[in-house]
Amino acid sequence: MEQGLGAAPGWATRSNETLMIEFVLQGFSELPRLRLPLFCCFFSLYTVALMGNAVIIAVGSHSASLQSPMYFFLCNLAAMDIVCTSSVLPKALVGLAFEENTISFPGCMAQLFFLTWSASSELLLLTAMAYDRYVAICRPLHYSSRMSPRLCRSLAVGVWALCALNGSLHAGLMTRLSFCGPNVIAHFFCEIPPLLLLSCSPTLVNSIMTVLADAFYGVLNFLLTLVSYGCIVASILRMRSAAGRRRAFSTCSSHLLVVSVYYSAVFCAYISPASSYSPERSKVSAVLYTMLSPTLNPIVYSLRNTEIKHALGRLVQFYFESM
C-alpha cells in the first residue's frame, strides 16, 4: 500500500480515503528511567515462562506416572501460557529497547487474536481443572467414567476450537472499524478497550460482543470454578481423617492459587466498561496475566507437587544417562 503525499506516519490515502497502516504502542514510554530495569525484568520473566512451561509439557508428555486428566489439562494450560506470553512479550521488549514501537495493522490484529485465544482458553481450562478436582474429591467412585481420556481430549479440542473462534470473532469485528484519529495505543500490546477508544466509527457491536465474552469466559467460568471449590471444601470438611483433609487440600492448593492470581488480573483488566478504561490500571493487570501468571504457573505446580518433581528428576536423570 503506497503512502499518500502529505499523509502522516502510520496512515495511507487511497481513493480519497485515509487508511490506518500501523499503530504506535505507547508501552512504558512515560517511565523512561525504568526502561532498562523493566526490560531486564520482562526478559527474565519471558525466559522463565518459556522454559518452565516447556518443561511441564515435556514432563507431562513423557512420564507414565503423569498420564491423568489433571496433568493432561496442565499441559494444555502450559501450552496456552506459551502462546499468551509469546504474543505479547517480544513486542513489549522491543518497545523497551527502542524509543518508538510501531506495529502494523495486520500485526496488531494477529496479536489481538492470539491474546484473546490464549486468555479465553486459559479461563476454560482452569474451569475444567476445577471440575476435575471436584470429581476426584467429591465423586471418586465415578472419576474414571466422568474423566475418561476420550472426554478429556474432547474437552481440550473443544476449548481450543471455541476460543479460536472467539479470537477470530473479535479480530474480525475490529477490522470492520475505521481508525482516522490518533494512532497511539495507550498500552504495550493491542488490546480491545484501547483500540475501541481510537476508532472513529460506531463500536456498539464490538462492545456488546466484548461484554458477552466477558460474561461467558470471565463471570460464568468464575462462578463454575467457585461452585466446584465450594463443593470440594464442604466435602473435605466432612472427612474424619486429618491426614485425608491435608492430602485433599494439597491437591487443590496449587490450582486455587493460580486461579486467584489469574482471575484477579482478568477482572481488573476486562470486567469494566470501555468508557472507564484506565491505561495505568490495565498495564499493571496485563503484566499479571500475560507475564507473571505464565511464569508462576509451572513454578507453583512443580514446587507444590511431588509427582511432578519426581517425574522431572527421572527425566533429568534419563537425559544425562543418554548423553
mmCIF file with all atom_site columns, all heavy atoms in Angstrom, residues 76-102:
data_model
loop_
_atom_site.group_PDB
_atom_site.id
_atom_site.type_symbol
_atom_site.label_atom_id
_atom_site.label_alt_id
_atom_site.label_comp_id
_atom_site.label_asym_id
_atom_site.label_entity_id
_atom_site.label_seq_id
_atom_site.pdbx_PDB_ins_code
_atom_site.Cartn_x
_atom_site.Cartn_y
_atom_site.Cartn_z
_atom_site.occupancy
_atom_site.B_iso_or_equiv
_atom_site.pdbx_formal_charge
_atom_site.auth_seq_id
_atom_site.auth_comp_id
_atom_site.auth_asym_id
_atom_site.auth_atom_id
_atom_site.pdbx_PDB_model_num
ATOM 1   N N   . ASN A 1 76  ? -2.018 -28.641 28.642 1.00 0.00 ? 76  ASN A N   1
ATOM 2   C CA  . ASN A 1 76  ? -2.742 -27.710 27.768 1.00 0.00 ? 76  ASN A CA  1
ATOM 3   C C   . ASN A 1 76  ? -2.636 -26.283 28.281 1.00 0.00 ? 76  ASN A C   1
ATOM 4   O O   . ASN A 1 76  ? -2.470 -25.343 27.496 1.00 0.00 ? 76  ASN A O   1
ATOM 5   C CB  . ASN A 1 76  ? -4.211 -28.129 27.678 1.00 0.00 ? 76  ASN A CB  1
ATOM 6   C CG  . ASN A 1 76  ? -4.459 -29.235 26.687 1.00 0.00 ? 76  ASN A CG  1
ATOM 7   O OD1 . ASN A 1 76  ? -4.769 -29.001 25.525 1.00 0.00 ? 76  ASN A OD1 1
ATOM 8   N ND2 . ASN A 1 76  ? -4.328 -30.472 27.147 1.00 0.00 ? 76  ASN A ND2 1
ATOM 9   N N   . LEU A 1 77  ? -2.718 -26.113 29.600 1.00 0.00 ? 77  LEU A N   1
ATOM 10  C CA  . LEU A 1 77  ? -2.573 -24.786 30.195 1.00 0.00 ? 77  LEU A CA  1
ATOM 11  C C   . LEU A 1 77  ? -1.173 -24.235 29.940 1.00 0.00 ? 77  LEU A C   1
ATOM 12  O O   . LEU A 1 77  ? -1.011 -23.044 29.632 1.00 0.00 ? 77  LEU A O   1
ATOM 13  C CB  . LEU A 1 77  ? -2.854 -24.859 31.693 1.00 0.00 ? 77  LEU A CB  1
ATOM 14  C CG  . LEU A 1 77  ? -2.818 -23.541 32.470 1.00 0.00 ? 77  LEU A CG  1
ATOM 15  C CD1 . LEU A 1 77  ? -3.972 -22.634 32.039 1.00 0.00 ? 77  LEU A CD1 1
ATOM 16  C CD2 . LEU A 1 77  ? -2.891 -23.786 33.976 1.00 0.00 ? 77  LEU A CD2 1
ATOM 17  N N   . ALA A 1 78  ? -0.159 -25.085 30.053 1.00 0.00 ? 78  ALA A N   1
ATOM 18  C CA  . ALA A 1 78  ? 1.216  -24.653 29.803 1.00 0.00 ? 78  ALA A CA  1
ATOM 19  C C   . ALA A 1 78  ? 1.397  -24.226 28.347 1.00 0.00 ? 78  ALA A C   1
ATOM 20  O O   . ALA A 1 78  ? 2.088  -23.235 28.056 1.00 0.00 ? 78  ALA A O   1
ATOM 21  C CB  . ALA A 1 78  ? 2.188  -25.780 30.147 1.00 0.00 ? 78  ALA A CB  1
ATOM 22  N N   . ALA A 1 79  ? 0.775  -24.954 27.420 1.00 0.00 ? 79  ALA A N   1
ATOM 23  C CA  . ALA A 1 79  ? 0.864  -24.580 26.003 1.00 0.00 ? 79  ALA A CA  1
ATOM 24  C C   . ALA A 1 79  ? 0.224  -23.220 25.761 1.00 0.00 ? 79  ALA A C   1
ATOM 25  O O   . ALA A 1 79  ? 0.767  -22.377 25.020 1.00 0.00 ? 79  ALA A O   1
ATOM 26  C CB  . ALA A 1 79  ? 0.181  -25.645 25.143 1.00 0.00 ? 79  ALA A CB  1
ATOM 27  N N   . MET A 1 80  ? -0.922 -22.975 26.387 1.00 0.00 ? 80  MET A N   1
ATOM 28  C CA  . MET A 1 80  ? -1.585 -21.685 26.223 1.00 0.00 ? 80  MET A CA  1
ATOM 29  C C   . MET A 1 80  ? -0.808 -20.557 26.905 1.00 0.00 ? 80  MET A C   1
ATOM 30  O O   . MET A 1 80  ? -0.828 -19.413 26.452 1.00 0.00 ? 80  MET A O   1
ATOM 31  C CB  . MET A 1 80  ? -3.011 -21.751 26.764 1.00 0.00 ? 80  MET A CB  1
ATOM 32  C CG  . MET A 1 80  ? -3.993 -22.312 25.765 1.00 0.00 ? 80  MET A CG  1
ATOM 33  S SD  . MET A 1 80  ? -3.969 -21.327 24.238 1.00 0.00 ? 80  MET A SD  1
ATOM 34  C CE  . MET A 1 80  ? -4.753 -22.448 23.096 1.00 0.00 ? 80  MET A CE  1
ATOM 35  N N   . ASP A 1 81  ? -0.119 -20.873 27.995 1.00 0.00 ? 81  ASP A N   1
ATOM 36  C CA  . ASP A 1 81  ? 0.742  -19.877 28.641 1.00 0.00 ? 81  ASP A CA  1
ATOM 37  C C   . ASP A 1 81  ? 1.847  -19.434 27.683 1.00 0.00 ? 81  ASP A C   1
ATOM 38  O O   . ASP A 1 81  ? 2.198  -18.244 27.616 1.00 0.00 ? 81  ASP A O   1
ATOM 39  C CB  . ASP A 1 81  ? 1.355  -20.445 29.917 1.00 0.00 ? 81  ASP A CB  1
ATOM 40  C CG  . ASP A 1 81  ? 0.428  -20.330 31.106 1.00 0.00 ? 81  ASP A CG  1
ATOM 41  O OD1 . ASP A 1 81  ? -0.460 -19.459 31.086 1.00 0.00 ? 81  ASP A OD1 1
ATOM 42  O OD2 . ASP A 1 81  ? 0.581  -21.116 32.065 1.00 0.00 ? 81  ASP A OD2 1
ATOM 43  N N   . ILE A 1 82  ? 2.402  -20.384 26.946 1.00 0.00 ? 82  ILE A N   1
ATOM 44  C CA  . ILE A 1 82  ? 3.452  -20.050 25.984 1.00 0.00 ? 82  ILE A CA  1
ATOM 45  C C   . ILE A 1 82  ? 2.896  -19.169 24.867 1.00 0.00 ? 82  ILE A C   1
ATOM 46  O O   . ILE A 1 82  ? 3.518  -18.178 24.460 1.00 0.00 ? 82  ILE A O   1
ATOM 47  C CB  . ILE A 1 82  ? 4.070  -21.338 25.403 1.00 0.00 ? 82  ILE A CB  1
ATOM 48  C CG1 . ILE A 1 82  ? 4.853  -22.083 26.488 1.00 0.00 ? 82  ILE A CG1 1
ATOM 49  C CG2 . ILE A 1 82  ? 4.982  -21.022 24.217 1.00 0.00 ? 82  ILE A CG2 1
ATOM 50  C CD1 . ILE A 1 82  ? 5.428  -23.411 26.042 1.00 0.00 ? 82  ILE A CD1 1
ATOM 51  N N   . VAL A 1 83  ? 1.701  -19.507 24.362 1.00 0.00 ? 83  VAL A N   1
ATOM 52  C CA  . VAL A 1 83  ? 1.078  -18.692 23.317 1.00 0.00 ? 83  VAL A CA  1
ATOM 53  C C   . VAL A 1 83  ? 0.795  -17.284 23.829 1.00 0.00 ? 83  VAL A C   1
ATOM 54  O O   . VAL A 1 83  ? 1.065  -16.291 23.150 1.00 0.00 ? 83  VAL A O   1
ATOM 55  C CB  . VAL A 1 83  ? -0.226 -19.355 22.831 1.00 0.00 ? 83  VAL A CB  1
ATOM 56  C CG1 . VAL A 1 83  ? -0.963 -18.442 21.848 1.00 0.00 ? 83  VAL A CG1 1
ATOM 57  C CG2 . VAL A 1 83  ? 0.065  -20.690 22.162 1.00 0.00 ? 83  VAL A CG2 1
ATOM 58  N N   . CYS A 1 84  ? 0.261  -17.191 25.043 1.00 0.00 ? 84  CYS A N   1
ATOM 59  C CA  . CYS A 1 84  ? -0.104 -15.898 25.619 1.00 0.00 ? 84  CYS A CA  1
ATOM 60  C C   . CYS A 1 84  ? 1.109  -14.989 25.779 1.00 0.00 ? 84  CYS A C   1
ATOM 61  O O   . CYS A 1 84  ? 1.118  -13.853 25.307 1.00 0.00 ? 84  CYS A O   1
ATOM 62  C CB  . CYS A 1 84  ? -0.790 -16.111 26.962 1.00 0.00 ? 84  CYS A CB  1
ATOM 63  S SG  . CYS A 1 84  ? -1.282 -14.580 27.809 1.00 0.00 ? 84  CYS A SG  1
ATOM 64  N N   . THR A 1 85  ? 2.129  -15.498 26.450 1.00 0.00 ? 85  THR A N   1
ATOM 65  C CA  . THR A 1 85  ? 3.299  -14.660 26.720 1.00 0.00 ? 85  THR A CA  1
ATOM 66  C C   . THR A 1 85  ? 4.090  -14.359 25.450 1.00 0.00 ? 85  THR A C   1
ATOM 67  O O   . THR A 1 85  ? 4.649  -13.270 25.303 1.00 0.00 ? 85  THR A O   1
ATOM 68  C CB  . THR A 1 85  ? 4.188  -15.325 27.785 1.00 0.00 ? 85  THR A CB  1
ATOM 69  O OG1 . THR A 1 85  ? 5.171  -14.413 28.229 1.00 0.00 ? 85  THR A OG1 1
ATOM 70  C CG2 . THR A 1 85  ? 4.854  -16.556 27.256 1.00 0.00 ? 85  THR A CG2 1
ATOM 71  N N   . SER A 1 86  ? 4.097  -15.298 24.475 1.00 0.00 ? 86  SER A N   1
ATOM 72  C CA  . SER A 1 86  ? 4.834  -15.065 23.231 1.00 0.00 ? 86  SER A CA  1
ATOM 73  C C   . SER A 1 86  ? 4.117  -14.097 22.301 1.00 0.00 ? 86  SER A C   1
ATOM 74  O O   . SER A 1 86  ? 4.750  -13.498 21.430 1.00 0.00 ? 86  SER A O   1
ATOM 75  C CB  . SER A 1 86  ? 5.063  -16.399 22.498 1.00 0.00 ? 86  SER A CB  1
ATOM 76  O OG  . SER A 1 86  ? 5.876  -17.258 23.260 1.00 0.00 ? 86  SER A OG  1
ATOM 77  N N   . SER A 1 87  ? 2.819  -13.939 22.466 1.00 0.00 ? 87  SER A N   1
ATOM 78  C CA  . SER A 1 87  ? 2.085  -12.989 21.628 1.00 0.00 ? 87  SER A CA  1
ATOM 79  C C   . SER A 1 87  ? 2.266  -11.553 22.099 1.00 0.00 ? 87  SER A C   1
ATOM 80  O O   . SER A 1 87  ? 1.979  -10.619 21.349 1.00 0.00 ? 87  SER A O   1
ATOM 81  C CB  . SER A 1 87  ? 0.590  -13.343 21.629 1.00 0.00 ? 87  SER A CB  1
ATOM 82  O OG  . SER A 1 87  ? 0.021  -13.165 22.916 1.00 0.00 ? 87  SER A OG  1
ATOM 83  N N   . VAL A 1 88  ? 2.760  -11.373 23.319 1.00 0.00 ? 88  VAL A N   1
ATOM 84  C CA  . VAL A 1 88  ? 2.847  -10.024 23.903 1.00 0.00 ? 88  VAL A CA  1
ATOM 85  C C   . VAL A 1 88  ? 4.281  -9.598  24.190 1.00 0.00 ? 88  VAL A C   1
ATOM 86  O O   . VAL A 1 88  ? 4.704  -8.497  23.820 1.00 0.00 ? 88  VAL A O   1
ATOM 87  C CB  . VAL A 1 88  ? 2.011  -9.954  25.205 1.00 0.00 ? 88  VAL A CB  1
ATOM 88  C CG1 . VAL A 1 88  ? 2.269  -8.652  25.942 1.00 0.00 ? 88  VAL A CG1 1
ATOM 89  C CG2 . VAL A 1 88  ? 0.530  -10.104 24.892 1.00 0.00 ? 88  VAL A CG2 1
ATOM 90  N N   . LEU A 1 89  ? 5.037  -10.466 24.866 1.00 0.00 ? 89  LEU A N   1
ATOM 91  C CA  . LEU A 1 89  ? 6.324  -10.028 25.408 1.00 0.00 ? 89  LEU A CA  1
ATOM 92  C C   . LEU A 1 89  ? 7.380  -9.657  24.376 1.00 0.00 ? 89  LEU A C   1
ATOM 93  O O   . LEU A 1 89  ? 8.109  -8.680  24.588 1.00 0.00 ? 89  LEU A O   1
ATOM 94  C CB  . LEU A 1 89  ? 6.869  -11.097 26.352 1.00 0.00 ? 89  LEU A CB  1
ATOM 95  C CG  . LEU A 1 89  ? 6.496  -10.873 27.817 1.00 0.00 ? 89  LEU A CG  1
ATOM 96  C CD1 . LEU A 1 89  ? 6.987  -12.009 28.682 1.00 0.00 ? 89  LEU A CD1 1
ATOM 97  C CD2 . LEU A 1 89  ? 7.069  -9.571  28.327 1.00 0.00 ? 89  LEU A CD2 1
ATOM 98  N N   . PRO A 1 90  ? 7.552  -10.368 23.261 1.00 0.00 ? 90  PRO A N   1
ATOM 99  C CA  . PRO A 1 90  ? 8.579  -9.942  22.302 1.00 0.00 ? 90  PRO A CA  1
ATOM 100 C C   . PRO A 1 90  ? 8.393  -8.500  21.842 1.00 0.00 ? 90  PRO A C   1
ATOM 101 O O   . PRO A 1 90  ? 9.365  -7.736  21.767 1.00 0.00 ? 90  PRO A O   1
ATOM 102 C CB  . PRO A 1 90  ? 8.412  -10.932 21.144 1.00 0.00 ? 90  PRO A CB  1
ATOM 103 C CG  . PRO A 1 90  ? 7.873  -12.160 21.789 1.00 0.00 ? 90  PRO A CG  1
ATOM 104 C CD  . PRO A 1 90  ? 6.954  -11.662 22.855 1.00 0.00 ? 90  PRO A CD  1
ATOM 105 N N   . LYS A 1 91  ? 7.164  -8.119  21.534 1.00 0.00 ? 91  LYS A N   1
ATOM 106 C CA  . LYS A 1 91  ? 6.908  -6.740  21.088 1.00 0.00 ? 91  LYS A CA  1
ATOM 107 C C   . LYS A 1 91  ? 7.081  -5.753  22.230 1.00 0.00 ? 91  LYS A C   1
ATOM 108 O O   . LYS A 1 91  ? 7.553  -4.624  22.019 1.00 0.00 ? 91  LYS A O   1
ATOM 109 C CB  . LYS A 1 91  ? 5.481  -6.651  20.532 1.00 0.00 ? 91  LYS A CB  1
ATOM 110 C CG  . LYS A 1 91  ? 5.240  -5.424  19.656 1.00 0.00 ? 91  LYS A CG  1
ATOM 111 C CD  . LYS A 1 91  ? 6.107  -5.450  18.419 1.00 0.00 ? 91  LYS A CD  1
ATOM 112 C CE  . LYS A 1 91  ? 5.854  -4.239  17.532 1.00 0.00 ? 91  LYS A CE  1
ATOM 113 N NZ  . LYS A 1 91  ? 6.815  -4.154  16.419 1.00 0.00 ? 91  LYS A NZ  1
ATOM 114 N N   . ALA A 1 92  ? 6.723  -6.162  23.446 1.00 0.00 ? 92  ALA A N   1
ATOM 115 C CA  . ALA A 1 92  ? 6.927  -5.290  24.601 1.00 0.00 ? 92  ALA A CA  1
ATOM 116 C C   . ALA A 1 92  ? 8.409  -5.052  24.855 1.00 0.00 ? 92  ALA A C   1
ATOM 117 O O   . ALA A 1 92  ? 8.828  -3.935  25.212 1.00 0.00 ? 92  ALA A O   1
ATOM 118 C CB  . ALA A 1 92  ? 6.263  -5.893  25.832 1.00 0.00 ? 92  ALA A CB  1
ATOM 119 N N   . LEU A 1 93  ? 9.231  -6.076  24.664 1.00 0.00 ? 93  LEU A N   1
ATOM 120 C CA  . LEU A 1 93  ? 10.679 -5.921  24.838 1.00 0.00 ? 93  LEU A CA  1
ATOM 121 C C   . LEU A 1 93  ? 11.269 -4.987  23.795 1.00 0.00 ? 93  LEU A C   1
ATOM 122 O O   . LEU A 1 93  ? 12.176 -4.202  24.094 1.00 0.00 ? 93  LEU A O   1
ATOM 123 C CB  . LEU A 1 93  ? 11.353 -7.301  24.769 1.00 0.00 ? 93  LEU A CB  1
ATOM 124 C CG  . LEU A 1 93  ? 11.055 -8.253  25.933 1.00 0.00 ? 93  LEU A CG  1
ATOM 125 C CD1 . LEU A 1 93  ? 11.626 -9.633  25.651 1.00 0.00 ? 93  LEU A CD1 1
ATOM 126 C CD2 . LEU A 1 93  ? 11.618 -7.695  27.233 1.00 0.00 ? 93  LEU A CD2 1
ATOM 127 N N   . VAL A 1 94  ? 10.750 -5.064  22.553 1.00 0.00 ? 94  VAL A N   1
ATOM 128 C CA  . VAL A 1 94  ? 11.198 -4.137  21.509 1.00 0.00 ? 94  VAL A CA  1
ATOM 129 C C   . VAL A 1 94  ? 10.875 -2.702  21.910 1.00 0.00 ? 94  VAL A C   1
ATOM 130 O O   . VAL A 1 94  ? 11.685 -1.785  21.715 1.00 0.00 ? 94  VAL A O   1
ATOM 131 C CB  . VAL A 1 94  ? 10.532 -4.488  20.159 1.00 0.00 ? 94  VAL A CB  1
ATOM 132 C CG1 . VAL A 1 94  ? 10.812 -3.400  19.122 1.00 0.00 ? 94  VAL A CG1 1
ATOM 133 C CG2 . VAL A 1 94  ? 11.043 -5.833  19.656 1.00 0.00 ? 94  VAL A CG2 1
ATOM 134 N N   . GLY A 1 95  ? 9.676  -2.494  22.473 1.00 0.00 ? 95  GLY A N   1
ATOM 135 C CA  . GLY A 1 95  ? 9.287  -1.152  22.901 1.00 0.00 ? 95  GLY A CA  1
ATOM 136 C C   . GLY A 1 95  ? 10.155 -0.603  24.010 1.00 0.00 ? 95  GLY A C   1
ATOM 137 O O   . GLY A 1 95  ? 10.375 0.611   24.096 1.00 0.00 ? 95  GLY A O   1
ATOM 138 N N   . LEU A 1 96  ? 10.646 -1.483  24.873 1.00 0.00 ? 96  LEU A N   1
ATOM 139 C CA  . LEU A 1 96  ? 11.529 -1.034  25.941 1.00 0.00 ? 96  LEU A CA  1
ATOM 140 C C   . LEU A 1 96  ? 12.947 -0.805  25.443 1.00 0.00 ? 96  LEU A C   1
ATOM 141 O O   . LEU A 1 96  ? 13.688 0.003   26.018 1.00 0.00 ? 96  LEU A O   1
ATOM 142 C CB  . LEU A 1 96  ? 11.538 -2.065  27.074 1.00 0.00 ? 96  LEU A CB  1
ATOM 143 C CG  . LEU A 1 96  ? 10.242 -2.194  27.881 1.00 0.00 ? 96  LEU A CG  1
ATOM 144 C CD1 . LEU A 1 96  ? 10.292 -3.404  28.785 1.00 0.00 ? 96  LEU A CD1 1
ATOM 145 C CD2 . LEU A 1 96  ? 9.991  -0.923  28.704 1.00 0.00 ? 96  LEU A CD2 1
ATOM 146 N N   . ALA A 1 97  ? 13.338 -1.505  24.391 1.00 0.00 ? 97  ALA A N   1
ATOM 147 C CA  . ALA A 1 97  ? 14.696 -1.366  23.858 1.00 0.00 ? 97  ALA A CA  1
ATOM 148 C C   . ALA A 1 97  ? 14.841 -0.143  22.960 1.00 0.00 ? 97  ALA A C   1
ATOM 149 O O   . ALA A 1 97  ? 15.939 0.427   22.856 1.00 0.00 ? 97  ALA A O   1
ATOM 150 C CB  . ALA A 1 97  ? 15.085 -2.617  23.092 1.00 0.00 ? 97  ALA A CB  1
ATOM 151 N N   . PHE A 1 98  ? 13.769 0.261   22.299 1.00 0.00 ? 98  PHE A N   1
ATOM 152 C CA  . PHE A 1 98  ? 13.816 1.404   21.376 1.00 0.00 ? 98  PHE A CA  1
ATOM 153 C C   . PHE A 1 98  ? 12.795 2.452   21.799 1.00 0.00 ? 98  PHE A C   1
ATOM 154 O O   . PHE A 1 98  ? 11.816 2.159   22.480 1.00 0.00 ? 98  PHE A O   1
ATOM 155 C CB  . PHE A 1 98  ? 13.539 0.943   19.943 1.00 0.00 ? 98  PHE A CB  1
ATOM 156 C CG  . PHE A 1 98  ? 14.493 -0.115  19.453 1.00 0.00 ? 98  PHE A CG  1
ATOM 157 C CD1 . PHE A 1 98  ? 14.152 -1.461  19.512 1.00 0.00 ? 98  PHE A CD1 1
ATOM 158 C CD2 . PHE A 1 98  ? 15.746 0.230   18.966 1.00 0.00 ? 98  PHE A CD2 1
ATOM 159 C CE1 . PHE A 1 98  ? 15.029 -2.437  19.077 1.00 0.00 ? 98  PHE A CE1 1
ATOM 160 C CE2 . PHE A 1 98  ? 16.632 -0.738  18.529 1.00 0.00 ? 98  PHE A CE2 1
ATOM 161 C CZ  . PHE A 1 98  ? 16.281 -2.080  18.592 1.00 0.00 ? 98  PHE A CZ  1
ATOM 162 N N   . GLU A 1 99  ? 13.036 3.681   21.364 1.00 0.00 ? 99  GLU A N   1
ATOM 163 C CA  . GLU A 1 99  ? 12.177 4.786   21.795 1.00 0.00 ? 99  GLU A CA  1
ATOM 164 C C   . GLU A 1 99  ? 10.771 4.678   21.224 1.00 0.00 ? 99  GLU A C   1
ATOM 165 O O   . GLU A 1 99  ? 9.795  5.016   21.891 1.00 0.00 ? 99  GLU A O   1
ATOM 166 C CB  . GLU A 1 99  ? 12.802 6.132   21.393 1.00 0.00 ? 99  GLU A CB  1
ATOM 167 C CG  . GLU A 1 99  ? 14.077 6.460   22.163 1.00 0.00 ? 99  GLU A CG  1
ATOM 168 C CD  . GLU A 1 99  ? 14.580 7.854   21.848 1.00 0.00 ? 99  GLU A CD  1
ATOM 169 O OE1 . GLU A 1 99  ? 13.901 8.562   21.067 1.00 0.00 ? 99  GLU A OE1 1
ATOM 170 O OE2 . GLU A 1 99  ? 15.626 8.233   22.381 1.00 0.00 ? 99  GLU A OE2 1
ATOM 171 N N   . GLU A 1 100 ? 10.639 4.257   19.966 1.00 0.00 ? 100 GLU A N   1
ATOM 172 C CA  . GLU A 1 100 ? 9.317  4.171   19.352 1.00 0.00 ? 100 GLU A CA  1
ATOM 173 C C   . GLU A 1 100 ? 9.043  2.725   18.940 1.00 0.00 ? 100 GLU A C   1
ATOM 174 O O   . GLU A 1 100 ? 9.904  2.057   18.360 1.00 0.00 ? 100 GLU A O   1
ATOM 175 C CB  . GLU A 1 100 ? 9.221  5.093   18.138 1.00 0.00 ? 100 GLU A CB  1
ATOM 176 C CG  . GLU A 1 100 ? 7.818  5.137   17.531 1.00 0.00 ? 100 GLU A CG  1
ATOM 177 C CD  . GLU A 1 100 ? 7.691  6.201   16.450 1.00 0.00 ? 100 GLU A CD  1
ATOM 178 O OE1 . GLU A 1 100 ? 8.181  7.323   16.669 1.00 0.00 ? 100 GLU A OE1 1
ATOM 179 O OE2 . GLU A 1 100 ? 7.103  5.908   15.393 1.00 0.00 ? 100 GLU A OE2 1
ATOM 180 N N   . ASN A 1 101 ? 7.850  2.271   19.246 1.00 0.00 ? 101 ASN A N   1
ATOM 181 C CA  . ASN A 1 101 ? 7.472  0.886   18.973 1.00 0.00 ? 101 ASN A CA  1
ATOM 182 C C   . ASN A 1 101 ? 6.202  0.869   18.132 1.00 0.00 ? 101 ASN A C   1
ATOM 183 O O   . ASN A 1 101 ? 5.112  1.115   18.634 1.00 0.00 ? 101 ASN A O   1
ATOM 184 C CB  . ASN A 1 101 ? 7.246  0.131   20.287 1.00 0.00 ? 101 ASN A CB  1
ATOM 185 C CG  . ASN A 1 101 ? 7.022  -1.353  20.063 1.00 0.00 ? 101 ASN A CG  1
ATOM 186 O OD1 . ASN A 1 101 ? 7.382  -1.895  19.023 1.00 0.00 ? 101 ASN A OD1 1
ATOM 187 N ND2 . ASN A 1 101 ? 6.427  -2.007  21.046 1.00 0.00 ? 101 ASN A ND2 1
ATOM 188 N N   . THR A 1 102 ? 6.350  0.603   16.837 1.00 0.00 ? 102 THR A N   1
ATOM 189 C CA  . THR A 1 102 ? 5.194  0.575   15.946 1.00 0.00 ? 102 THR A CA  1
ATOM 190 C C   . THR A 1 102 ? 4.815  -0.870  15.635 1.00 0.00 ? 102 THR A C   1
ATOM 191 O O   . THR A 1 102 ? 5.649  -1.775  15.698 1.00 0.00 ? 102 THR A O   1
ATOM 192 C CB  . THR A 1 102 ? 5.490  1.307   14.621 1.00 0.00 ? 102 THR A CB  1
ATOM 193 O OG1 . THR A 1 102 ? 6.591  0.663   13.958 1.00 0.00 ? 102 THR A OG1 1
ATOM 194 C CG2 . THR A 1 102 ? 5.822  2.765   14.880 1.00 0.00 ? 102 THR A CG2 1
#
